[in-house]
Structures are given as structure tokens and as C-alpha cells.
Amino acid sequence: MGKSIKTDILIIGAGPVGLFTVFEAGLLGLKCEIVDNLDKIGGQCSELYSDKPIFDIPGVPYQTAEQHIQALLDQIKPFEYGLHLDERVEEIDLVNEQKDIKEWKVKTSQGKEFITTNIFIAAGGGSFEPRRPPNIEDPDRFIGKGVAYSVRNKEHYKNKDLLIFGGGDSALDWTVELADLTKSLTLVHRRNVFRGAPHTETLMRELVETGNVNLKTPYVIESIEGNQQISGVTIKHFETKQIESLDCNEILFLFGLNKKLGPIASWGLDLNAKKISVDTEKFQTSEEGIFAVGDINDYPGKLDLILCGFHETTLAVQHAFRRCFPGERVPFGYTTSNTRLHKKLGVKVD
């Protein structure tokens, strides 16, 4: 294990509220590190409804979820922050219980260690985990042997015989993206109807017509063949029950994601059902220095709206500053008069 990463705030979750936490913390000069279980930024916005419109962001009449995430990334460009994707926070422990201000040691699934004064849990509904293929016993035994649930490096599929299972945006997007890279590409879905963006489906069907993609509907997977490396699958027609064998050396299962509370359930925090109980002054949990903001938290009158999460984390960051600098006045000021921010953004204000 390498050297511990020291930070003022460790943010669990790279969705909208986690990203906005970086902005609010940056205004106060606090350093942040973000950890997210997904392999990309954006949380539910990016993974579940990237092309869906959002109408209730103040001052923005219409914005897709993807555009919203990009706007938040643009907003936090002036501030330095660490980003650690595709890894999950596994353990949270006190560094020194005798100190007046508690510090936390955080360990991730990739073996990284953080020392932080504040932990902000902005994990939406919890950690996201890929849905496994139905009727296949322990498909994870083939991970690294040809099976994957996400694309980390598209060059990995160059000149490969690839099967993609799924019918949503991810399955359609990667079918279109990888068609010209692979040796062969087959898309398998249990229905003739797809759930993804109509434009992407049109592009996929054009590739089917030109022979760049082989489309198999309505089929479901029956078995995975292979040992040290997958060699193929058998699929079953959803209606006739006819079995067919397909050769391949790579499989992408893109069935979407399940939301799970995951390790959060074992961190000793007060929970209400599958949400974390917080106060409404600081949005702090039952543990000093651990905050929960956004859809993951619970309090009387709670609404699961992005704009509510923005409000929650704004107040929570104020208290995080007091924990980092006991006795100092929080340097609150309107962004219109924040010359340091103007300078970072290259904005000239008269």
C-alpha cells in the first residue's frame, strides 16, 4: 500500500451533489478527494438517464442529465480535487479517538488509504453494482477471462469476437462505438424492442443492415462456455426455446445497475430503512465528521431532488470548514465578490 492521501473532505459519490460539494469546498479553500464505485463521473445521471431532461435546476429551464454533469464539471474546474473511479470505500476507522477533532482513515477496494477530517457520503441510493445475467451461476468467475460489465478500454476489444447482452443505452452506445473496432460484434437482447435513445437504435440497425453488427432477438443467455478463457455461449430463443451456440472470446453484460447500500450498512451509522439519518443543521450523521447529503440521507420532510442535495451540502461544508479550522470564522462571501474565484476563472469584474 502506498502513502496515505491527506484531504479535508473525502467525498463518496461522483454524482451531482458530490461534484457540487467540490465547488462549495473550493470556495472555502478546502481540498477534496472523490471516490466512486462506477467507472465514470455522474452517478445516476450518467448511468441511468443521461439523455433524460431535468427541469428543476434553478435558472436552467431545460438540461439533459449529461449536460448537467458537464456543467458541474465546468463549474469545479478552478479547484483541484482528486478523482478515484471504479473503486468502493470498504472501511472507515477513527485515526485517533483522543483528538478533539476526529480524523478518519478510509480504505478502498483498490487498496488506497485516505486520512480526512470530514467524510461526505453523497452516494445517491447507495453503491451501484452491475446486474448479472439471469440463470448463469457465478458469472464473475469469468471476469478477466472474457467477461466484463463495463468498458474500461475500448482498445481491449480490437479484433475480438464480441457479444454484447442488453437493450438499454449502454448496450446500444457500445454496439455503435465498438462495431468498427471488433473482428465481429453480436448484440443479443431478450426483446425486439430497445429501451435506449431512438437515434442510437437507428444507428445500430443501420450497422445490422450493412453487416457490421449481428442482431439476435429475442434471445436470452443459457450458458457460458470455456475454462481459462471463454470460447462461446449458448443462447435460447425467448419464444420458441430453440438453443443456438455462438463463438466469442469477449462478452459484455450491460443489463444496467442495481442500487445497494453496500458497505455503508456496516459503518455504524443510524439508518432509517436504507437511508442515513442526519440532522437538519449540519446534515451530519450519528458520527461526528461524517455527513450524508443528497438522496442517501433521511430527515423529516426530505425530498429526493438534486437541488435539495445542493442545499444540504452547502450547509454541511460550512461545518466541515469549522472542523478543519477550529475557532476560525468561516470565510463566507457571495461569489459575485469572490476575487479569488474570479481570478481562477479568468473573469474580469468591474
Side-chain angles (χ1 to χ4, degrees), residues 26 47 97 156 167 177 185 220 241 254 270 285 305:
E47 199 65 30
E97 296 188 46
H156 175 77
E177 184 75 16
L185 194 155
V220 294
K241 310 304 179 184
L254 301 175
D270 288 349
T285 69
L305 294 173

Side-chain angles (χ1 to χ4, degrees), residues 125-127 259-267 271 273-276 296:
S127 63
K259 292 194 290 184
K260 294 186 176 181
L261 201 55
I264 293 174
S266 65
W267 292 346
L271 302 176
K274 292 187 177 181
K275 293 197 167 195
I276 303 171
I296 194 71

